[in-house]
Amino acid sequence: TLTAFVELMDHGIVSWDTFSVAFVKKIASFVNKSAYDSQILQRSLAILESMVLNSHDLCQKVAQEITIGQLIPHLQGTDKEIQTNTIAVINALFLKAPDEKRQEIAGILVQKQLRSIILTHMIRSQDAVVGEMAHQLYVLQVLTFNLLEERMMTKMDPQDQAQRDIIFELRRIAFDAESELNNTGGSIEKRKS
């Protein structure tokens, strides 16, 4: 029945704003408990994503019921559809969150544990990252990088010695590593011949 509901809502026949808090809680309960069938979990994640994207009121209710921490275990599974839908919900919550909440979500997203889970269970898994999953990972990356845009565009103070030292150290690391690679026995030129 959740599949039929998703199809019905995708056609825009009924407004998302007509649903109650009890409905949001019921769908969220399917996501918060891992004992449910994978099809139920997949459809529930799709419904939550649509709620967040299509209704401001439901977005707030979903954000109260679902946390990023509750979604992380779904990224560790092997079902690519569930992983994709989980990233889609995270992206939707991130996209629709107010600025202060967005910073909080960003803090969770940049944690090494979550990056490691995405890298291990999604990107480096045996199945290739294609289609919708690739798109959702790209959206997550763009949303995360957009938070750094203001900092990136801030001009460096040429009189600040600490900033200059950091820039020179980064340059040294980047270019010394490249020159070390060329000076070792495994350089690109030697491998070509």
Side-chain angles (χ1 to χ4, degrees):
T1 57
L2 287 177
T3 304
F5 178 80
V6 170
E7 293 296 322
L8 190 68
M9 293 310 293
D10 282 346
H11 287 34
I13 296 170
V14 180
S15 171
W16 282 101
D17 292 319
T18 60
F19 296 104
S20 67
V21 175
F23 180 73
V24 174
K25 287 184 179 196
K26 182 65 175 176
I27 298 297
S29 73
F30 294 146
V31 173
N32 290 333
K33 296 177 186 165
S34 60
Y36 285 106
D37 179 85
S38 64
Q39 290 295 320
I40 293 172
L41 179 58
Q42 182 182 346
R43 299 297 185 252
S44 297
L45 287 164
I47 291 168
L48 289 175
E49 177 196 10
S50 293
M51 285 179 179
V52 171
L53 292 174
N54 295 308
S55 171
H56 178 71
D57 292 337
L58 290 180
C59 175
Q60 293 173 339
K61 292 172 188 169
V62 169
Q64 291 171 353
E65 295 296 321
I66 300 287
T67 65
I68 305 295
Q70 291 167 320
L71 293 171
I72 290 174
H74 301 308
L75 297 175
Q76 294 172 308
T78 57
D79 189 319
K80 293 297 181 188
E81 291 296 321
I82 290 174
Q83 290 174 331
T84 301
N85 287 339
T86 302
I87 292 291
V89 171
I90 292 170
N91 288 341
L93 288 169
F94 195 31
L95 187 65
K96 295 293 185 168
D99 286 338
E100 63 276 357
K101 183 72 173 168
R102 192 172 294 158
Q103 292 295 334
E104 180 184 320
I105 293 171
I108 295 168
L109 294 178
V110 298
Q111 289 178 357
K112 186 171 182 146
Q113 176 198 7
L114 180 59
R115 291 191 329 250
S116 176
I117 288 169
I118 291 172
L119 186 64
T120 304
H121 295 279
M122 296 175 75
I123 296 172
R124 289 187 179 161
S125 72
Q126 293 179 350
D127 299 327
V129 176
V130 295
E132 184 64 18
M133 181 183 287
H135 171 72
Q136 291 299 334
L137 288 170
Y138 171 76
V139 169
L140 181 64
Q141 184 179 29
V142 168
L143 290 171
T144 306
F145 282 149
N146 284 346
L147 291 174
L148 302 172
E149 183 177 11
E150 182 180 332
R151 184 174 175 196
M152 182 183 75
M153 296 307 222
T154 303
K155 299 240 184 256
M156 186 182 106
D157 180 9
Q159 305 305 321
D160 187 346
Q161 188 60 40
Q163 287 180 355
R164 291 172 54 102
D165 291 345
I166 290 170
I167 296 294
F168 286 126
E169 180 65 13
L170 287 172
R171 188 177 291 156
R172 185 191 65 74
I173 291 169
F175 295 114
D176 284 353
E178 185 178 291
S179 66
E180 284 177 16
L181 191 83
N182 289 335
N183 290 336
T184 62
S187 74
I188 294 170
E189 291 79 25
K190 289 182 181 178
R191 276 188 254 146
K192 286 182 180 177
S193 56

